[in-house]
Amino acid sequence: MQYFVTGATGFIGKRLVKALLARKGAVVHFLLRRESEGKVAELLDYWGTTKARAVPVFGDLTGKKLGVSAEDLKSLKAAGIDAVFHLAAIYDLKADAESQIAANIDGTRNVVEFAKAVDAGHLHHVSSIAAAGLYEGVFREDMFDEAENYDHPYFNTKHESEKIVRRESKVPWTVYRPAFVVGDSTTGEMDKIDGPYYFFKLIQRMRQLLPPWFPAIGLEGGRLNIVPVDFVVACIDHIAHSKADVKGKCFHLVDPIGYRVGDVLGIFSKAAHAPKMNLFVNAALFGFIPKSVRKGMMALAPVRNIYKAVMKDLGLPEDIMTFVNYPTRFDRRETDAALKGSGIECPNLNDYAWRLWDYWERHLDPDLFIDRSLKGTVGGKVVLVTGGSSGIGLAAAHKFAEAGAITIICGRDQDKLDEACKEAKAKGYSFVAYPADIADMADCDRFTQLLVANHGGVDFLINNAGRSIRRAIESSYDRFHDFERTMQLNYFGCLRVTMGLLPSMAAKRKGHVVNISSIGVLTNAPRFSAYVASKAALDAWTRCASSEFADVGITFTTINMPLVRTPMIAPTKIYQNVPTLSPEEAADMIAQACINKPVRIATRLGIFGELLHALAPRVAQISMNTTFRMFPDSAAAKGDKSAKPQLSPEAIAMQQLMQGIHF
């Protein structure tokens, strides 16, 4: 038999062509754009055949008579096309209305004209259950005009394209309406994210955040009908070659069971080893809100922006909620009759869901296609690290420079800057060093103006320069300058540099600011009142700034850094026996802040401290007071740099238990 197939390179079409070629003596002519000619060899290899049996016909779905040349039309007519299979279409909720109309509606009309031009024996049109719109109740195979609520572009184009086949085709026709098509039930193979796959990222995040035994809440919703691609292909192939009269008939290629949205999410949650959804909320409960009110709320900019941001973060199309209360069920009596005795049955979703999940996580997870290397993030970009001549800043600068960034460091000590540059050169890369005193407001202005003039500003700003003072308040009554000095550098200096560079970032509508804060802000660490207060002020400013610049393309990350072995903590001798992070480990946290751009990075211990202060503040105060009395001021804080720290056995034990926290 001679076949002509549109959409032969698509997910369903490629498999259908393979099934057709399995028939003895079959020759498949398939539509292909001229610019896709390079795909032919790969397609022939997949089908396991030659050009003699799989013949490319160059044209375009959007062209009259598919844009096929007059010569090719004549050849196809002479060959005697027994059947045309029309599968080419846009099956994507995210696609714009114009492209869907061009492909689905105009393309189908062109196929109908083509089938008539080559005197095809039969036209097999692959439609979709979307042609029914949002029909309330059971939609039978002999129903069409009864469809309702198909205003959505996807529903509308599928309905209208089927209407063209039914009313304009001069060639005998058959329509197939597959449900939501997922991957192969035996291999899990899929080519794109669509239908239930949109929820996979949400399920994955639940798995990352919660233990498998944690009871989760899901939406019950309407019924989603899901079928694997191998079932769809087997049905079309069998019915199209059935001895029964299938002219003018429609077949629902659906799962006879059908699952509610909550059931589907539960099945895939189990497949992903994510928390099981034990409690379901019926989404219909929200139906009491009038449609006009819902539309009015979505017209409000804050509501609309939050909704879009949440959906984007979860990887969900904005229209996905249309399907949550999907109201239609589908009768398949004609399909059952046509498949009787064939052995073709729709597999149970519970039996192959794990294959779909496994394939998605290995091949389709959007995170797999994001370059999460530091080189991919900062390569060729301008990065400024304040306080980059030593400690955490120097370690971070080495990472950025090694990753190919134009790495700028600044510091007060020219000798240290020169030494850092010499060290970088020995490793095969370079720093751009500027002497600058971040505690001096005038020098900050001079420095930022120089950066804008020489480099056009920066792409990444790492506010690392800081001063830490460990001294009890009762030892600071006559040392008010401790508070002034820490605030001057940690807060005012940091702000001065940031605000000097923000205009150039805003002009480019991109930029990322990383502020090195402290775990002490979360735990309210005693003896660090001056330091913590300055960092807390910076944290508060950052939260305000991140909201203001959210729509400008500028993002902020606050790192509540644990204790790090740097020259800054050297005067406090008791830290020599306290487990701390290395500067390189701290630099890794800064790198992750630039790659992933989270709002905040904090240790579990820091988060626990913050929660304790929020939920049980009195308990938190007693706990911190205990450590305060257990660990005295350092000798340096008391003015005696030669004295050795004297610790009780309890304090020594506490040292080993409390890693990475400011005592």
Side-chain angles (χ1 to χ4, degrees), residues 440-470:
D440 185 330
M441 300 297 101
D443 206 33
C444 285
D445 292 342
R446 176 197 64 79
F447 176 49
T448 55
Q449 291 169 8
L450 195 63
L451 291 178
V452 173
N454 293 349
H455 306 279
V458 303
D459 299 295
F460 293 85
L461 167 60
I462 316 300
N463 281 312
N464 168 73
R467 180 192 302 273
S468 177
I469 297 177
R470 181 183 183 272

Side-chain angles (χ1 to χ4, degrees), residues 172-242:
W173 55 267
T174 300
V175 169
Y176 308 88
R177 295 179 187 151
F180 290 100
V181 181
V182 295
D184 193 289
S185 65
T186 58
T187 66
E189 186 180 359
M190 181 59 170
D191 68 339
K192 65 174 181 175
I193 294 175
D194 196 14
Y197 288 89
Y198 286 126
F199 295 99
F200 280 20
K201 179 54 68 175
L202 174 63
I203 294 172
Q204 187 187 61
R205 291 191 178 181
M206 288 176 60
R207 185 186 67 188
Q208 293 168 346
L209 294 172
L210 304 170
W213 49 263
F214 193 89
I217 301 175
L219 286 175
E220 188 176 43
R223 294 187 179 274
L224 283 182
N225 206 289
I226 297 170
V227 289
V229 66
D230 49 310
F231 169 73
V232 173
V233 169
C235 287
I236 296 174
D237 181 44
H238 177 79
I239 295 172
H241 297 92
S242 172

